[in-house]
Amino acid sequence: MTEETLFSKIIDKTLPSDMVYQDDLVTAFRDINPAAPTHILIVPNRVIPTVDDIEDSDELAMGRMLRVARDLARQENIAEDGYRLIINCRDHGRQEVPHLHMHLVGGKDLGFMLRRES
Ligand code: DGP
């Protein structure tokens, strides 16, 4: 049996969320602690802990995540101004929830992505 995660409970609706999209492969819901006016998490329905755990057979779901991000950005009216898609991986990436997820963040100027080392 696949291990349950916080996000798999949101996917199967055991836990409540502000869900904005769901299909056979992916689910999207608003982040509980938004960093911008639009902050949506797009997750595969299958529990994939990190990017490093993606299998070849997940390719369709990974593509679906991007397609859904494009559509949700349009729905949220942030597509024209632009937005950022972020996937954190493990400790150095500061991944908190061990169920792969893509942040769709926008609705304001997000500044530079990372501080340069020099
Ligand atoms: P990351 O650091 O990339 O693992 O981001 C995890 C995100 O998950 C963080 O922005 C907050 C969000 N989050 C954590 N718990 C919940 C929850 O119970 N519901 C929702 N909607 N979002 C959550």
Side-chain angles (χ1 to χ4, degrees), residues 72-103:
L72 289 174
R74 289 177 183 172
Q75 261 177 50
E76 296 279 310
N77 286 315
I78 60 171
E80 201 169 315
D81 285 335
Y83 50 89
R84 187 168 290 154
L85 300 174
I86 304 164
I87 302 178
N88 295 319
C89 181
R90 294 189 175 151
D91 291 352
H92 281 190
R94 299 280 185 130
Q95 181 180 357
E96 288 166 11
V97 179
H99 184 141
L100 189 140
H101 49 283
M102 181 162 67
H103 299 251

Side-chain angles (χ1 to χ4, degrees), residues 17-22 27-30 40-41 72 75-76:
S17 76
D18 188 353
M19 196 178 285
V20 292
Y21 181 84
Q22 186 163 53
T27 298
F29 49 91
R30 294 190 194 279
I40 293 171
L41 301 175
L72 289 174
Q75 261 177 50
E76 296 279 310

Side-chain angles (χ1 to χ4, degrees), residues 29-49:
F29 49 91
R30 294 190 194 279
D31 195 289
I32 205 164
N33 187 18
T38 292
H39 190 164
I40 293 171
L41 301 175
I42 303 165
V43 310
N45 294 342
R46 182 176 102 72
V47 177
I48 304 170

